[in-house]
Each structure stands twice: as C-alpha cells, then as structure tokens.
Amino acid sequence: MLVMNNQKRTVHIGSILLLPGSNIVADGSIDETHPVIRALRDSGKLVFEHKVTANVAANAISRASTRQVVDDIERTQKKPNSSVKKAAAARRTELDEFDAEWEEAKKKQQEQQKGATAL
C-alpha cells in the first residue's frame, strides 16, 4: 500500500515511520479505522492508495524522499510505463544531487571546525 504523508513532518503509527511525501507500507499494517488515522485521512494529511496505477506511481515517485522509496514504488508496477520510468530517473537524479550537496556542506563544516580547533 502507498501512503502519502502530505505534511512537513513525520508521522509515527506504531512501529511505522511515515516520512513527508511517499511511503510504501505493508497492506493491513495501518488501521485506517482508528479515529486519529481516520481524522488525518479525512483532512487530507494522509492519503492511502491501495491500488497503485501508473499515474499514482509517477506522482508518488516525484514526491519520494529516498531512493529506496523510488525503487519500491517502481517495483509496484509489473510493467512500468514510460511515465513511471521517466519520473523515477528524474527523482533519482534530484536525490543524488541533494546528497552530493549535503556531503559537500558536511565537508565544509568539518573543515571549519578543524580550523577553529587549531586556533
């Protein structure tokens, strides 16, 4: 099942952590009838997709937070069409660029800390 977390925060449901954006969870692992879950669903903060069509998959991929989620969503399609493959490739590129920027920022911070320690 695909769960879209339309918030800018994580949501914990038992042992499940839903990141902002797209999440893949096992069918039946979330009790959608629970009052809190139902309220989040009714408000649009959580969207549950039980049938992942090509359009749903392409949209979910564009909102995925990690490469693993991109791969998992792409695997939900028995025969991914070109829109799903294109969305997956584009999102992987975006995530790779973000990771590279993050690593560069970490290196700069470490260098600055070393320089400050040396003084």
Side-chain angles (χ1 to χ4, degrees), residues 1-95:
M1 168 174 57
L2 179 66
V3 181
M4 302 295 291
N5 178 3
N6 295 323
Q7 304 172 86
K8 294 186 186 277
R9 63 185 181 92
T10 61
V11 175
H12 290 268
I13 302 173
S15 63
I16 299 170
L17 173 65
L18 299 175
L19 298 174
S22 307
N23 298 271
I24 296 286
V25 298
D27 287 337
S29 62
I30 297 176
D31 179 6
E32 295 178 55
T33 63
H34 188 281
V36 173
I37 304 303
R38 192 172 53 236
L40 289 170
R41 184 195 62 216
D42 293 348
S43 69
K45 292 179 180 177
L46 293 180
V47 176
F48 298 89
E49 296 286 352
H50 296 279
K51 182 172 179 164
V52 183
T53 64
N55 289 337
V56 169
N59 179 45
I61 285 171
S62 70
R63 298 184 57 214
S65 300
T66 66
R67 286 181 66 98
Q68 181 64 48
V69 173
V70 171
D71 295 343
D72 290 346
I73 295 170
E74 192 173 28
R75 277 194 296 272
T76 66
Q77 303 295 290
K78 292 181 181 181
K79 291 184 179 180
N81 68 17
S82 62
S83 67
V84 171
K85 289 179 182 179
K86 191 177 198 179
R91 189 60 179 161
R92 283 185 189 105
T93 299
E94 289 173 357
L95 292 169

